[in-house]
């Protein structure tokens, strides 16, 4: 206890900004720290895991995984405390103490949440639990599985299961971006270049270790199938704190092939994208071709045009790829010289735009990104007719900003086979592709005009995409879809966004929530409230 008091006074030394913080309940952080140090006193170094605004480590830890500075405004509420636990018992203590002191917890894995909900809040004081120290990856080669720490990045995951485990044919279906965190990606679904063969990332989770709202440490057996279902696509943040996932590794052939071909308006983009919509979702499950559409060039220079970039991963060799394309998509005109054979590991570097094919690049978590973005998402069930595509190009050509992009990821194949209710991620059969509408800008100023543009683009697209409800992908979180009202939220209110992310799985998610966290301790602007009839 004496040691704890020393630590406390150390932490609060010149901590006036902390104590005076008007946005936090000043009594709580103090009591939380006392409680936390008390409950973890067996390991007397736990004070080092606490970072408060007056400690020098605070800004570094806070900034270590910020991906979108749009949400880091002077108006945002910063964490009262950042905690970087190294042991499950610290997380259990944090939940118990947080609950006892009326302070909520936000958890951060890779920090890529599109609305910054893992780093700041819109008013509620909170503790930020950053899982950076839970980043180990342990492969079990005998059964082709791995336990992955909840704070690892997808790049670390790729590296350790393949290069680390010395197995060139071990892969995992996850994101293209390697700095995305395992927890957000896996617990929210996870779409990428291998989903047509193996489903979403979440479809490949076989076990998990979770701390629930009472601070109990659970695995799949002790948590039960309802909670285990919810954290595979429902977003873990409403249900508990995941410490690790056990995943099934998938087989990737020793040689894969990649290509990228770019076409502009004068090269018949409309016809090609029109055809792509029909072909890409029906291709062989080894073949993934996505399209990135954006406006390039300059109006004054008279060379403004639409560019469609077709990017592909084929789980096989060049010759086989060319013969498939020759049969199903000859219009694209892909030739042998466009195709590069490489290992799957190297293909992840290719997609990550690594400067050279060196797998250790994937271990770089790329701290701090200095720009802002806003994104929204759609699912498309019927091919957009040529006139529709042309109207979309026109809208993009008139956009004030060049960094507007539509990322179209084809679904189909394995994505169609998995039942809509298998896990909370519901966007299965009947969907042709997902679109991410993305707009980036370099600072966190002038956000409003960009947000307004994005809203108008989204409204304009309504006739071409899924309806009733207009579906959205949880991991492309969009706060415009709705938010919990401070202090009072309801199942009905949350249906506004919940049904769009989860379709008919939303009700079951709320029912699981009522069972595992009836007090709604784990909550944020877009968390799932416990089910109730109103
Ligand atoms: C550059 C970029 C590229 C992307 N590419 C893809 C892609 O290819 N495919 C795709 O599907 N998605 C992609 N995404 C979206 C990505 O899947 C989501 O943003 C995802 O939620 C990020 O996970 P994270 O762990 O990095 O984020 P975080 O911000 O750390 O977490 C996201 C949410 O999960 C909660 N959370 C985090 N860890 C835990 C935990 N251990 N327990 C409970 N709750 C937790 C957080 O509180 C937050 O609500 C991309 C995002 C970015 C910014
Ligand atoms: C911490 O422990 C001491 C002594 O065991 C106790 O008096 C005190 O109330 C505890 N504080 C909290 C916040 O739990
Ligand atoms: C802290 O722990 C170390 C070993 O983990 C021990 O040697 C030391 O005496 C402890 N200090 C206090 C003040 O409890
Ligand atoms: C880091 O965070 C602080 C706020 O805690 C902020 O003022 C600073 O600009 C951030 N950026 C860098 C690169 O340190
Ligand atoms: C911050 O809050 C003030 C007052 O509520 C508001 O006028 C202002 O627009 C907000 N700024 C940002 C960047 O959100
Ligand atoms: C966590 O702490 C417990 C008890 O002190 C210990 O047995 C366990 O090995 C620790 N786990 C990790 C991952 O350090
Ligand atoms: C601060 O937290 C304490 C303990 O939970 C509570 O009693 C008090 O009402 C809170 N104060 C404010 C201003 O929220
Ligand atoms: C490599 O991993 C894949 C996927 O788990 C598996 O199919 C294959 O048998 C493994 N190879 C070796 C040599 O362990
Ligand atoms: C448009 O023209 C400018 C100036 O000639 C040139 O720098 C730019 O690269 C061109 N852009 C495209 C997309 O052709
Ligand atoms: C990736 O490509 C580089 C350059 O061709 C090669 O040296 C390296 O062995 C490849 N790495 C893997 C893991 O396949
Ligand atoms: C952030 O952006 C500013 C202005 O564009 C630049 O001067 C600064 O070096 C950048 N900081 C980081 C950490 O990237």
């Amino acid at each position: 206890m004496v040691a704890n008091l020393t630590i406390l006074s150390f932490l609060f030394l010149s901590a006036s900004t902390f104590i005076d913080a008007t946005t936090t309940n000043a009594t709580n952080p103090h009591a939380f720290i006392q409680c936390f140090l008390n409950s973890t006193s067996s390991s007397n170094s736990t004070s080092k895991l606490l970072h408060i605004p007056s400690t020098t480590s605070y800004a570094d830890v806070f900034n270590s995984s910020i991906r979108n500075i749009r949400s880091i405004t002077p108006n945002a509420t910063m964490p009262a405390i950042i905690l970087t636990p190294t042991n499950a018992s610290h997380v259990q203590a944090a939940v118990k103490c947080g609950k006892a002191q009326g302070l909520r917890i936000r958890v951060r894995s890779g920090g890529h949440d599109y609305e910054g909900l893992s780093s700041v809040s819109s008013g509620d004081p909170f503790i930020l639990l950053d899982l950076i120290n839970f980043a180990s990856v342990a492969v079990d080669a005998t059964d082709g599985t791995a336990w992955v720490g909840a704070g690892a990045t997808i790049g670390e995951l790729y590296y350790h299961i393949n290069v680390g485990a010395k197995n060139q044919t071990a892969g995992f279906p996850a994101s293209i971006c390697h700095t995305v965190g395992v927890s957000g990606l896996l617990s929210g679904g996870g779409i990428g270049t291998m989903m047509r063969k193996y489903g979403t990332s979440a479809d490949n989770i076989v076990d998990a270790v979770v701390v629930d709202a009472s601070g109990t440490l659970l695995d799949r057996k002790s948590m039960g199938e309802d909670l285990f279902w919810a954290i595979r696509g429902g977003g873990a943040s409403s249900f508990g704190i995941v410490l690790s996932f056990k995943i099934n590794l998938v087989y990737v052939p020793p040689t894969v092939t990649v290509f990228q071909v770019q076409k502009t308006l004068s090269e018949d983009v409309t016809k090609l994208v029109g055809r792509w919509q029909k072909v890409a979702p029906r291709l062989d499950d080894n073949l993934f071709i996505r399209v990135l559409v954006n406006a390039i060039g300059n109006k004054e220079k008279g060379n403004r045009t639409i560019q469609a970039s077709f990017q592909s991963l084929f789980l096989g060799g060049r010759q086989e790829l060319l013969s498939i394309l020759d049969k199903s998509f000859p219009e694209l005109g892909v030739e042998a010289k466009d195709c590069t054979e490489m290992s799957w590991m190297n293909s992840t570097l290719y997609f990550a735009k690594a400067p050279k094919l060196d797998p250790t690049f994937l271990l770089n978590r790329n701290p701090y990104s200095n720009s802002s973005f806003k994104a929204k998402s759609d699912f498309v069930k019927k091919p957009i007719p040529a006139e529709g595509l042309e109207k979309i190009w026109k809208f993009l050509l008139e956009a004030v900003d060049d960094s507007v992009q539509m990322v179209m990821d084809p679904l189909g194949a394995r994505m169609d086979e998995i039942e809509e209710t298998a896990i909370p991620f519901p966007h299965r059969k009947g969907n042709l592709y997902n679109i991410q509408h993305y707009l980036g800008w370099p600072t966190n100023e002038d956000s409003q005009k960009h947000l307004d543009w994005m809203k108008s683009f989204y409204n304009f697209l309504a006739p071409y995409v899924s309806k009733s409800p207009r579906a959205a992908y949880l991991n492309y979180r969009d706060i415009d879809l709705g938010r919990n009202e401070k202090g009072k939220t309801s199942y009905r209110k949350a249906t506004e966004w919940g049904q769009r992310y989860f379709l008919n799985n939303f009700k079951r998610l709320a029912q699981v929530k009522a069972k595992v966290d009836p007090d709604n301790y784990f909550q944020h602007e877009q968390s799932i409230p416990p089910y109730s009839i109103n």
Side-chain angles (χ1 to χ4, degrees):
M1 202 40 221
V2 173
N4 282 348
L5 281 177
T6 315
I7 290 159
L8 260 182
S9 42
F10 166 74
L11 277 171
F12 282 93
L13 200 65
S14 74
S16 54
T17 51
F18 174 48
I19 304 286
D20 296 342
T22 48
T23 47
T24 60
N25 181 335
T27 61
N28 286 343
H30 188 268
F32 173 87
I33 290 173
Q34 204 163 34
C35 169
F36 179 77
L37 292 174
N38 264 8
S39 7
T40 57
S41 60
S42 62
S43 50
N44 62 15
S45 58
T46 53
S47 65
K48 291 199 207 91
L49 310 175
L50 292 163
H51 316 270
I52 58 173
S54 61
T55 50
T56 49
S57 55
Y58 180 89
D60 285 347
V61 179
F62 180 78
N63 287 338
S64 65
S65 50
I66 297 291
R67 266 294 157 283
N68 186 1
I69 60 165
R70 171 169 60 86
S71 52
I72 319 295
T73 67
N75 284 9
T77 297
M78 296 284 286
I81 301 166
I82 305 177
L83 179 61
T84 48
T86 53
N87 189 293
S89 61
H90 304 153
V91 178
Q92 294 177 272
V95 170
K96 287 181 184 148
C97 296
K99 244 187 152 171
Q101 307 303 333
L103 254 175
R104 294 189 199 286
I105 290 175
R106 292 186 181 220
V107 189
R108 192 162 74 175
S109 170
H112 284 46
D113 188 285
Y114 277 21
E115 302 287 350
L117 302 190
S118 56
S119 295
V120 291
S121 88
S122 50
D124 288 337
F126 68 102
I127 300 154
L128 171 56
L129 210 111
D130 193 313
L131 293 175
I132 180 82
N133 294 321
F134 285 75
S136 66
V137 179
V139 174
D140 184 343
T142 56
D143 67 350
T145 60
W147 276 103
V148 182
T153 61
I154 292 303
E156 291 171 327
L157 165 62
Y158 288 163
Y159 181 89
H160 291 299
I161 60 171
N162 185 292
V163 176
K166 298 191 168 52
N167 180 349
Q168 228 199 333
T169 63
F172 187 70
S175 58
I176 284 179
C177 171
H178 71 288
T179 55
V180 171
V182 157
S183 290
L185 188 86
L186 269 64
S187 77
I191 64 176
T193 55
M194 293 206 292
M195 67 177 152
R196 305 189 66 255
K197 174 97 174 179
Y198 293 116
T200 65
S201 307
D203 291 316
N204 295 279
I205 302 173
V206 292
D207 203 341
V209 172
V210 175
V211 173
D212 74 4
S214 61
T216 309
L217 192 64
L218 303 166
D219 66 4
R220 178 171 185 171
K221 208 161 164 208
S222 49
M223 81 177 80
E225 287 301 302
D226 271 344
L227 178 53
F228 184 61
W229 177 82
I231 59 169
R232 285 176 293 156
S237 58
S238 304
F239 300 99
I241 300 174
V242 178
L243 297 186
S244 57
F245 287 105
K246 186 181 185 185
I247 55 171
N248 263 334
L249 304 180
V250 304
Y251 172 81
V252 290
T255 301
V256 306
T257 308
V258 298
F259 72 76
Q260 166 163 313
V261 295
Q262 284 162 338
K263 304 284 179 180
T264 56
L265 279 179
S266 59
E267 297 161 295
D268 237 343
V269 158
T270 307
K271 202 176 113 201
L272 287 175
V273 174
R275 177 94 182 118
W276 170 88
Q277 300 178 93
K278 294 170 189 161
V279 172
R282 294 200 167 79
L283 286 169
D284 186 304
D285 64 1
N286 289 313
L287 180 51
F288 169 89
I289 307 177
R290 69 169 183 167
V291 191
L292 275 61
V293 174
N294 54 325
I296 56 166
N298 188 301
K299 250 182 242 172
E300 284 76 55
K301 307 246 156 53
N303 63 1
R304 187 121 168 110
T305 185
I306 290 291
Q307 176 177 273
S309 199
F310 294 81
Q311 302 178 343
S312 174
L313 173 70
F314 178 61
L315 299 170
R318 181 196 281 125
Q319 276 319 315
E320 197 188 344
L321 169 61
L322 287 170
S323 86
I324 294 176
L325 288 173
D326 194 44
K327 267 192 249 110
S328 18
F329 202 3
E331 301 87 338
L332 193 54
V334 176
E335 297 171 28
K337 69 167 170 48
D338 302 316
C339 302
T340 312
E341 291 186 337
M342 55 178 69
S343 65
W344 173 78
M345 183 80 263
N346 272 347
S347 78
T348 68
L349 294 161
Y350 171 87
F351 279 101
K353 300 198 159 53
K356 60 185 164 92
L357 296 180
D358 172 3
T360 59
F361 176 80
L362 297 175
L363 302 177
N364 178 0
R365 298 177 68 109
N366 252 347
Y368 204 70
S369 152
N370 216 358
S371 54
S372 290
F373 68 87
K374 172 67 193 177
K376 289 171 167 292
S377 65
D378 271 306
F379 288 88
V380 177
K381 296 180 171 238
K382 280 191 298 199
I384 302 174
E387 316 85 76
L389 292 175
E390 268 156 13
K391 283 187 193 155
I392 295 172
W393 308 159
K394 191 160 174 269
F395 206 104
L396 292 176
L397 287 170
E398 281 163 10
V400 284
D401 206 307
D402 276 353
S403 45
V404 180
Q405 194 164 56
M406 295 175 83
V407 182
M408 306 181 177
D409 283 333
L411 303 168
R414 183 75 188 127
M415 292 296 282
D416 278 0
E417 291 166 10
I418 299 173
E419 289 290 322
E420 203 171 304
T421 54
I423 62 168
F425 180 97
H427 315 287
R428 308 284 186 175
K429 203 178 169 112
N431 290 290
L432 299 174
Y433 59 98
N434 170 267
I435 315 181
Q436 175 171 202
H437 321 297
Y438 180 100
L439 174 58
W441 60 99
T443 67
N444 64 356
E445 284 149 25
D446 282 337
S447 293
Q448 198 53 50
K449 77 171 189 221
H450 298 289
L451 297 178
D452 290 345
W453 185 88
M454 190 51 104
K455 264 189 193 152
S456 68
F457 186 51
Y458 187 73
N459 291 338
F460 159 79
L461 290 170
Y464 309 114
V465 297
S466 68
K467 297 173 189 59
S468 310
R470 184 170 178 182
Y473 173 35
L474 175 69
N475 273 348
Y476 299 156
R477 191 192 296 288
D478 179 3
I479 202 75
D480 304 347
L481 301 182
R483 62 164 74 204
N484 289 308
E485 280 159 38
K486 230 178 184 169
K488 61 175 168 80
T489 187
S490 69
Y491 170 71
R492 181 171 300 171
K493 168 83 184 152
T495 303
E496 286 171 15
W497 64 91
Q499 264 182 0
R500 298 174 66 172
Y501 289 143
F502 307 114
L503 306 179
N504 295 325
N505 291 330
F506 179 59
K507 184 172 173 187
R508 181 172 171 200
L509 282 168
Q511 287 167 332
V512 176
K513 171 75 172 180
K515 208 167 96 182
V516 303
D517 183 17
D519 301 334
N520 202 6
Y521 176 61
F522 293 118
Q523 66 170 271
H524 55 70
E525 290 78 357
Q526 235 179 32
S527 60
I528 299 167
Y531 179 75
S532 69
I533 48 171
N534 48 39

